Amino acid sequence: MSATAATPSADSHPINPTPTNQSVSAEAGSTSVLNTDHPFWQIIRTVPDFPKQGIDFYDITPLLRNYIDETIDALLAALPEGLMDEVDCLGAVEARGFVFASLLAGRLGKGMILLRKPGKLPPPVANKAYALEYGKDTLEMQNNLPPERVLLVDDILATGGTLTTAYELCKSAEHTVVGALVLLDLVELHDEFPVPIYNVLKA
């Protein structure tokens, strides 16, 4: 899948991150229309054949460079009203999930649990290997933390391997995962998720 995109200039005008004529959030199994004319698509860059042949890479860094407030506003608008009152902390998924979770945590005054690549967290840790759309990887998290209600945060949901592993690690550590928040959900690439998925963009 691909999208026509253009990188904005430094003096681009502010944009409305949540157009009223588009669905900006969806739970697992939702059949709502794809919001491919969301204004963020004018900013996100599509890079073909990266990191491997046949894969389209969605470059979200222009959003981070010029539209931080609009991006965080859109992520929060994708959540059901009152959900964050039930959330104790954010589950930040390495690597770009760290960026969004940190920005959200600062805005909301919530803490974070880190889900990291192997060897980055001090023991005791739990770990789980999983398949990516273009390889394999492993996630780890500390497993000596008190049980909390967690909202997972990542940038893009593709095949679902990373977020599913994050969910399973949190569950094994006795946390309750209330949902997952992503900027972009590639809905045709993954099966139904065990908890609701909230998104800004769908493709």
Side-chain angles (χ1 to χ4, degrees):
M1 289 175 291
S2 62
T4 301
T7 302
S9 62
D11 59 349
S12 296
H13 295 296
I15 59 177
N16 175 10
T18 54
T20 57
N21 65 338
Q22 290 296 328
S23 171
V24 297
S25 65
E27 296 190 0
S30 170
T31 58
S32 59
V33 296
L34 305 185
N35 54 353
T36 52
D37 61 346
H38 190 288
F40 280 1
W41 284 119
Q42 302 172 23
I43 303 164
I44 293 171
R45 190 170 65 105
T46 303
V47 183
D49 299 323
F50 181 82
K52 294 180 69 173
Q53 186 75 24
I55 294 176
D56 285 343
F57 181 88
Y58 292 98
D59 179 14
I60 62 173
T61 55
L63 283 174
L64 299 176
R65 185 168 64 249
N66 294 314
Y67 296 101
I68 285 290
D69 286 339
E70 292 89 344
T71 301
I72 298 308
D73 288 345
L75 286 165
L76 291 174
L79 297 173
E81 184 176 356
L83 178 67
M84 290 311 300
D85 295 335
E86 305 173 12
V87 172
D88 299 314
C89 67
L90 304 175
V93 182
E94 190 166 347
R96 287 175 295 184
F98 287 179
V99 176
F100 294 112
S102 296
L103 292 167
L104 288 164
R107 176 82 68 89
L108 298 169
K110 300 284 186 180
M112 295 194 305
I113 292 176
L114 303 182
L115 293 115
R116 300 214 59 181
K117 301 294 178 62
K120 302 296 185 181
L121 292 172
V125 297
N127 62 68
K128 184 174 178 61
Y130 63 100
L132 289 167
E133 57 269 31
Y134 47 83
K136 295 181 179 180
D137 215 332
T138 301
L139 277 183
E140 291 187 344
M141 69 176 296
Q142 291 178 301
N143 62 358
N144 62 343
L145 303 174
E148 296 188 282
R149 293 177 60 84
V150 177
L151 176 68
L152 296 174
V153 179
D154 206 355
D155 61 334
I156 296 175
L157 172 56
T159 60
T162 304
L163 270 181
T164 298
T165 302
Y167 167 80
E168 291 173 350
L169 279 173
C170 286
K171 188 175 178 181
S172 70
E174 299 185 351
H175 300 298
T176 299
V177 179
V178 301
L181 175 63
V182 297
L183 178 68
L184 171 59
D185 184 357
L186 304 179
V187 294
E188 294 183 358
L189 297 186
H190 62 84
D191 295 328
E192 185 171 342
F193 203 67
V195 293
I197 298 293
Y198 307 108
N199 61 72
V200 176
L201 303 172
K202 299 173 73 175

